[in-house]
Amino acid sequence: MTAIPIQPPLIQLSGVTKTLKGQGEPRPILSGVDLTVRAGESVAILGRSGSGKSTLLSLIGLFDRPDGGQYLLHGRDISRIPERRAARLRSQEFGFVFQRFFLLKHLTAMQNVAMALVNGQGWLPRRKRRAKVMTALEQVGIAHLAKHRPARLSGGEQQRVAIARALVREPRVLLADEPTGALDTETGALVIDVLHAATDRGCGLILVTHDHAHANRMGRVVRLSDGLLVPERAGVFS
Amino acid sequence: MGLSGRFRSALVIGGQGIRARKLRTFLSMISLFLGVLAVIAVQAGSVLANRALLADIEMVEGKDGTVVVGVPSGDRAPAAVLDTVRGRPDAIAMMSTSAIIGEPNLTPINPGGVPLRYADQGGPPVTMTCTPQGVCYAEPQESPPPRGMAIELQLVGITGDIRQFRPFHTEAGNWLDFAGEPSMSPRLVLNREAALAFTQYQLPAEMRIGSAYSGSADAGSPHPTPRVIGAINDGNQQPTAYVRADELLNWLSASAMGSQSMTIIMSPAAVTVGPTLRAKLGPELGNQLYFRTVDSRERIGGQLDLMRWIFYGMAALVLLIGVAGILNVGLATIGERVEELALRRAVGTPRLLLAGIVLAETLLTGLLTAAAAVVTGIVGLQAAGYFFGDKRPSLQNVAFPWEAGVAGVIAGLVAGILGGLFPAIRAARIPIATVMRA
Ligand SMILES: Nc1ncnc2c1ncn2[C@@H]1O[C@H](COP(=O)(O)OP(=O)(O)OP(=O)(O)O)[C@@H](O)[C@H]1O
Ligand SMILES: [Mg+2]
């Protein structure tokens, strides 16, 4: 019997806190979140509106840093890394999908996807860039729309361009914040299909959603309430 | 790889940004263009004015650094002066007297050698009489000869080529030839005003040396026949003729020689002239020597500077409006680009790179605008010289002053930095989470 090398989890949050310091009283949003996500795992996060789901995702995606607690990525503490390194990690480890698609309207679908490759982190020659972009567009099933600008794409198509943009750098994990929020049920299901297909290729997925049906297609479901994460339905790992 | 990857990414992102806002970029360039053009116009104008003014002053006063030595009159003075400068390439001597050219026994058109346009404004000819005590008074000549075809002019005798110190422009004919034996028929080079008199009035070539005022224009004064060989512009309003000093001296009486005050014009390198001259003059006259160094640039500098600063102030205002325009457009654009910039940061673009791109876009706009304005300035100046050069000689053959080009580029740079810095700082501060809340 051979020893299986113990890989550190991809993402490990322990006791993560975030307090909002706007005008007036500081308001705790996250008050000790624990979350472990292993490579290739898919997790759904449920929660009331305003419970702090987006805030949590922005900490995981290194848009922002936690006030307290620890964030390990591949076992390394990145709770307080400088912005320069955070930018590199965002580029290497994460892909982002948002409720609104955020495509640049003066660029074609291809150029919008290529945007993630033209980010000052390394450089690919034009032809390689093009090949990667086309692969990503094929993965989301809209390679035939590569030359179209966003104005000529439907909502579902636009969101798939956004997913291709998130996938083009082959991230370890996709962070999706209500990706179906602006779409009708049918189109939403299609988008979840596309995300699901990505997890089948080994990419992790953290999905924030209000839709139980979508959540139930993930490996594990957790709920954010009162600043804490509680398991809703256990997955195979926990 | 790392750096070039950043740079190439920056080029692509910046290019996309500019292409997405072509019209707006163009419009913001217009106001800056006018501002930079104003700076260039002021700078070019002041350089040209300075140059024109200095050129005129140089003709009259001498080039900056030229040393002018005033030698008091005295019996030994002319010989000493001529002796001192003889054979020297770096110093010349000059003496001047007045002369009347034209029909004999007439009062000149311009008594006193005044410029022709004032010729009719003088009173009747007068005779200066001095008492032995040194009190001089003027009294109208009792029966002045009738006025007629003669002009009075200043006759300047020189021992060498004065143009090395005072850059006259030859306008017709030749300049004096200092080689060879002096001629008994003095060769004259007229200045503009004198030449004008010759063309307006047909003057017989007979000359009386000495002024109508001094009373030496009497029957006894010599009557050489001069030859006019050329005309120059010497910047002087008074009718003047230049003549070889030795040709003039042939006709000066001994008493006129003794009362002649002389001037030496020399380069600052001619250091031996002073001591030599002092030795030759003896202590009494030698101590009355008067040395002056021409420093026109410094003296006119003050007057021009004030004008220049006033115009700079105006140009700066125009430029400021241009900068405000670019700044306005830059900030408004950032407002619109918040989402794009947040998104680019979300996908891993370093914020310094984004700030740099925003700054570079404006800077590039500023520099391109400045370049366009400089090119316009160069073309404009050439066109001005081409079309108006006939009427305004100061516009002829002027090279575009490089100071104006530098001023324009600096102005564009400053505008680009000012107009791009604030948007760049704002761009760097956009929170990435914007993409989740929008
Ligand atoms: N920039 C901000 N300024 C002020 N309050 C903020 C800001 N960002 C978040 N909040 C507050 O923090 C709390 C959590 O916000 P968050 O966006 O994380 O909630 P959410 O769970 O994603 O909600 P939803 O499901 O509506 O997207 C909310 O009460 C919100 O008002
Ligand atoms: Mg949210």
Side-chain angles (χ1 to χ4, degrees), chain B residues 70-107:
Chain B
V71 185
S73 54
D75 289 342
R76 296 165 69 181
V81 167
L82 294 175
D83 232 30
T84 306
V85 300
R86 182 164 300 131
R88 292 195 72 117
D90 53 358
I92 64 152
M94 183 173 102
M95 67 198 71
S96 73
T97 179
S98 54
I100 295 172
I101 298 182
E103 279 182 38
N105 302 323
L106 286 176
T107 299

Side-chain angles (χ1 to χ4, degrees), chain A residues 49-50 52-55 99 177-178 208 210, chain B residues 436-437:
Chain A
S49 180
K53 304 182 297 294
S54 295
T55 307
Q99 179 171 351
D177 192 1
E178 297 183 44
V208 169
H210 289 287
Chain B
M436 291 175 151
R437 319 262 176 225

Side-chain angles (χ1 to χ4, degrees), chain A residues 52-98:
Chain A
K53 304 182 297 294
S54 295
T55 307
L56 176 58
L57 218 55
S58 76
L59 292 182
I60 296 173
L62 291 172
F63 291 2
D64 205 353
R65 308 289 179 280
D67 292 333
Q70 201 177 42
Y71 178 4
L72 304 182
L73 186 74
H74 301 298
R76 263 174 310 176
D77 190 352
I78 56 163
S79 323
R80 267 149 205 79
I81 53 163
E83 173 56 27
R84 258 172 66 89
R85 274 192 64 202
R88 195 159 65 235
L89 288 176
R90 284 199 294 273
S91 168
Q92 287 170 354
E93 307 283 337
F94 303 108
F96 301 93
V97 184
F98 311 104

